[in-house]
Amino acid sequence: MQPPYYAVIFTSVTNESNEGYSEMAQKMQSLAQGQEGYLGMESARNEIGITVSYWKSLESIRSWKQNLEHLEAQSKGRSSWYKSYTVRIALVEREYSFDLE
Amino acid sequence: MQPPYYAVIFTSVTNESNEGYSEMAQKMQSLAQGQEGYLGMESARNEIGITVSYWKSLESIRSWKQNLEHLEAQSKGRSSWYKSYTVRIALVEREYSFDLE
């Protein structure tokens, strides 16, 4: 992707009880894909989880944050799944890649 | 941490042969911690790896990128461990957290 664009860096620690979590994560990923300004998403998890989503503008991030189903997921996340999380909103200024193929 | 500060978002796909990789990752993490301007680092890996490191300034990121031992690790990474990777340099503008404790 051609900078500048935005990244939302979401780092989290989940509880032991994570019933319904991965279904919800999947659902939110599909929902985000349909949002205006969505550019992509990458996730990895072992001790902590890191999800980075990419967006055209602050405006598109704001709309996604306020999406009704997403608001419900956020609320459920705080009440059931997450021990802690941090959200960072960052302007990607530079990007470079290495690819063997 | 109080924004503004910088995040380096490193996403990677490794080869099947990863001999020596986790030792090197560990060593680079220790080395980064001693760098001027280093603020922190978070990592997670399953299908892909995501490492986000945090820095005071572009200057501190540049110094870390040019560190001799780190240059060797980067070279070894391209020749042996990584199938592909992307580096994104991003200015963190906002940060907020949730913590149950």
Side-chain angles (χ1 to χ4, degrees), chain A:
Chain A
M1 290 174 283
Q2 188 66 28
Y5 58 86
Y6 275 90
V8 177
I9 306 165
F10 180 79
T11 52
S12 63
V13 178
T14 49
N15 293 315
E16 286 75 51
S17 63
N18 58 2
E19 207 195 307
Y21 177 71
S22 70
E23 290 81 358
M24 183 65 96
Q26 203 84 52
K27 196 175 155 193
M28 286 306 111
Q29 183 148 3
S30 307
L31 196 60
Q33 279 168 19
Q35 291 286 302
E36 144 73 23
Y38 173 88
L39 298 175
M41 190 180 286
E42 298 177 294
S43 271
R45 172 171 296 282
N46 33 38
E47 290 95 54
I48 66 164
I50 304 180
T51 296
V52 189
S53 58
Y54 304 103
W55 301 87
K56 268 192 187 152
S57 66
L58 283 179
E59 195 49 46
S60 56
I61 294 171
R62 222 172 280 132
S63 303
W64 170 231
K65 198 187 172 195
Q66 297 304 329
N67 173 286
L68 270 185
E69 287 182 75
H70 188 206
L71 282 174
E72 283 171 36
Q74 290 169 57
S75 165
K76 181 97 167 104
R78 283 187 296 269
S79 65
S80 305
W81 296 310
Y82 293 121
K83 208 176 276 183
S84 63
Y85 65 73
T86 296
V87 178
R88 290 178 174 92
I89 297 175
L91 178 65
V92 179
E93 298 179 351
R94 232 171 296 176
E95 169 183 332
Y96 57 92
S97 286
F98 163 77
D99 200 325
L100 263 186
E101 276 110 54

Side-chain angles (χ1 to χ4, degrees), chain B residues 84-97:
Chain B
S84 63
Y85 65 72
T86 297
V87 178
R88 292 180 173 91
I89 297 175
L91 178 64
V92 179
E93 299 179 351
R94 231 171 295 177
E95 168 185 333
Y96 58 90
S97 287

